[in-house]
Amino acid sequence: MPNREIHVTAGEMQFLTMLWDAGPLTLGQSHEQIASYGREIAYPTVQTHLNRMVEKGLVHRSDQRPAVYSAAVTRDRVTRGRLQELLASLTGGQVIPLVAKLVDQHELSDEQIDELEQLIQQAKGKAKASKKKRGKQ
């Protein structure tokens, strides 16, 4: 899959989280593990979900027997897609209202505030570099 955001369903997210956390699993191991992620589902249903995710390119299935399933996408790429969906649905794609609401509703430690300040400085650096790049074109 190209390096772009990936959009997954809530159920697919549970399976991917399981594979990221537990690593490669057989179908039987996946069936046992998925219950700890809030889904008590039948063995054939686990197989169907995993096989559909293989078809979508979200999961790899080995050729060995029993087959071993592993995540084919990174947590970062999926997170980017989920955040884009969240931004679009909650704030029409605007970052500031979402960040403002989060800051307003949560008490932040000094360390977290320092991290936010660092992120702001990084964003300023990116914006400055982007302006320079556009000016050269």
Side-chain angles (χ1 to χ4, degrees):
M1 280 186 159
N3 193 18
R4 60 177 169 75
E5 291 108 19
I6 297 172
H7 302 281
V8 298
T9 66
E12 289 168 342
M13 189 67 187
Q14 286 178 319
F15 277 93
L16 285 170
T17 300
M18 173 189 70
L19 292 170
W20 291 323
D21 292 348
L25 299 169
T26 65
L27 180 57
Q29 292 167 328
S30 297
H31 180 247
E32 291 171 10
Q33 285 281 325
I34 199 65
S36 65
Y37 290 86
R39 296 200 59 177
E40 294 268 348
I41 53 180
Y43 186 92
T45 306
V46 172
Q47 185 174 25
T48 299
H49 274 284
L50 287 170
N51 287 335
R52 285 184 180 157
M53 292 175 72
V54 168
E55 290 169 10
K56 287 181 165 185
L58 299 172
V59 170
H60 289 299
R61 180 181 50 229
S62 72
D63 291 333
Q64 70 191 55
R65 293 291 173 242
V68 175
Y69 294 86
S70 60
V73 294
T74 64
R75 192 182 300 255
D76 179 62
R77 286 184 57 211
V78 174
T79 300
R80 280 188 275 155
R82 299 282 290 199
L83 285 174
Q84 291 293 37
E85 292 170 2
L86 183 67
L87 269 177
S89 67
L90 294 179
T91 63
Q94 300 298 310
V95 173
I96 300 302
L98 181 60
V99 172
K101 184 58 81 178
L102 289 170
V103 169
D104 183 52
Q105 291 184 348
H106 296 84
E107 189 171 321
L108 301 175
S109 68
D110 289 340
E111 292 82 18
Q112 290 171 318
I113 293 168
D114 289 344
E115 277 187 65
L116 283 173
E117 288 172 343
Q118 287 177 1
L119 290 172
I120 290 168
Q121 291 306 314
Q122 288 174 4
K124 286 180 178 180
K126 278 185 181 178
K128 195 174 188 178
S130 180
K131 283 180 185 177
K132 278 185 178 180
K133 189 176 181 181
R134 283 194 305 259
K136 289 181 179 179
Q137 293 177 349

